[in-house]
Amino acid sequence: MAKAAPPSLSDADTAFVRGLVIHEDNAVLAFDKPSGLPVQTRGNRGRCLDQLLWAFARSNGKRPKLVHRLDTGTSGVIVAAKTKPAAAHLSESFSSRRAKKTYLALAQGVLPEAKAGDIDQPLLNCRGQRGSPPMVASDATGAVDAKTHWRVLSRSGRTALFELHPKTGRMHQLRAHLKYLGCPILGDPLYGTGKLSAPRLMLHAARLALTHPDGSDITLEARVPEDMRGAILLQAGLEVPGVDA
């Protein structure tokens, strides 16, 4: 059976995805994903980053492969591999938790008194249960371990800008953990108040540090987007701190 031809992208989509590139070499391709762009969709129907990777396909029809995910509402750094060996190396970095991720989140609620701390709270997958978010903090049988280090960068009243370092990579981990802490992320439709608090999920993947397939250390950064920067100023009167890329 003949292999299906790769989809053709419009000039506009090609220019769009190329404009998201923040790093490219012979093995690694990194993007600054905007909030609202899905990483993948079922059957890659509709516009998503995975489909847009066809803009980087080689003459043999092979294209880069995403090695991790971000939620649709989350903006920031996401990485693809350009070769099979690079994909294996990078995938192992994430699965072994050697890749170090830094997120920024604007959250509101009952803020912790401490300036920093750790959340060590298992999460239970509750997808499909009516009235429940996908992941729930729980010690019930079937819950998986989940660990997050947090630091408050600045605060005003009930609103704070958090720096988050996930130590595990569970689905919706940061969103579920901040809800558990008592201060869900603004704009979160599943764990917070959605658009009643912000026009989109105020979560940004600001930095990713990992080992390149060639053995060197590499740090990838994405600047806080203007919509989130504006929300930080509007919601809390806070300045974006020095961690901003």
Side-chain angles (χ1 to χ4, degrees), residues 22-107:
I22 55 176
H23 174 87
E24 183 175 10
D25 57 43
N26 61 358
V28 176
L29 188 58
F31 302 91
D32 179 3
K33 186 189 84 68
S35 174
L37 176 66
V39 171
Q40 291 176 320
T41 57
R42 184 170 296 178
N44 271 357
R45 293 189 291 271
R47 194 170 186 244
C48 65
L49 181 59
D50 195 33
Q51 182 191 48
L52 293 173
L53 289 180
W54 284 110
F56 305 91
R58 291 180 288 177
S59 57
N60 61 5
K62 294 183 179 180
R63 60 175 177 145
K65 178 183 178 182
L66 292 166
V67 293
H68 66 124
R69 295 175 60 91
L70 292 177
D71 293 341
T72 297
T74 305
S75 56
V77 180
I78 187 166
V79 174
K82 297 175 76 173
T83 66
K84 278 189 176 182
H89 172 88
L90 294 172
S91 295
E92 195 278 331
S93 292
F94 284 98
S95 64
S96 66
R97 303 173 185 172
R98 288 187 291 107
K100 305 302 180 185
K101 309 170 189 175
T102 301
Y103 289 79
L104 297 178
L106 185 62

Side-chain angles (χ1 to χ4, degrees), residues 6-216:
S8 59
L9 299 181
S10 68
D11 291 342
D13 276 347
T14 298
F16 169 75
V17 71
R18 289 191 177 277
L20 302 181
V21 174
I22 55 176
H23 174 87
E24 183 175 10
D25 57 43
N26 61 358
V28 176
L29 188 58
F31 302 91
D32 179 3
K33 186 189 84 68
S35 174
L37 176 66
V39 171
Q40 291 176 320
T41 57
R42 184 170 296 178
N44 271 357
R45 293 189 291 271
R47 194 170 186 244
C48 65
L49 181 59
D50 195 33
Q51 182 191 48
L52 293 173
L53 289 180
W54 284 110
F56 305 91
R58 291 180 288 177
S59 57
N60 61 5
K62 294 183 179 180
R63 60 175 177 145
K65 178 183 178 182
L66 292 166
V67 293
H68 66 124
R69 295 175 60 91
L70 292 177
D71 293 341
T72 297
T74 305
S75 56
V77 180
I78 187 166
V79 174
K82 297 175 76 173
T83 66
K84 278 189 176 182
H89 172 88
L90 294 172
S91 295
E92 195 278 331
S93 292
F94 284 98
S95 64
S96 66
R97 303 173 185 172
R98 288 187 291 107
K100 305 302 180 185
K101 309 170 189 175
T102 301
Y103 289 79
L104 297 178
L106 185 62
Q108 191 173 79
V110 181
L111 301 177
E113 293 183 3
K115 293 182 179 179
D118 293 286
I119 302 171
D120 186 355
Q121 173 60 49
L123 297 174
L124 183 67
N125 191 328
C126 293
R127 283 181 292 181
Q129 294 187 21
R130 175 174 287 186
S132 174
M135 302 297 286
V136 175
S138 173
D139 294 313
T141 301
V144 293
D145 69 304
K147 300 179 176 67
T148 301
H149 177 74
W150 58 268
R151 181 164 70 100
V152 174
L153 298 177
S154 52
R155 68 174 76 204
S156 177
R158 299 178 66 250
T159 306
L161 182 64
F162 284 83
E163 180 181 277
L164 303 171
H165 299 274
K167 304 302 181 184
T168 51
R170 308 305 181 189
M171 184 181 77
H172 295 182
Q173 176 177 315
L174 301 180
R175 299 164 67 178
H177 268 174
L178 280 189
K179 177 180 174 63
Y180 170 78
L181 197 62
C183 44
I185 299 173
L186 292 180
D188 193 330
L190 296 176
Y191 301 88
T193 56
K195 292 188 177 181
L196 292 176
S197 56
R200 63 97 156 174
L201 177 68
M202 290 294 150
L203 180 62
H204 179 66
R207 184 178 299 125
L208 177 62
L210 44 76
T211 303
H212 192 278
D214 67 10
S216 63

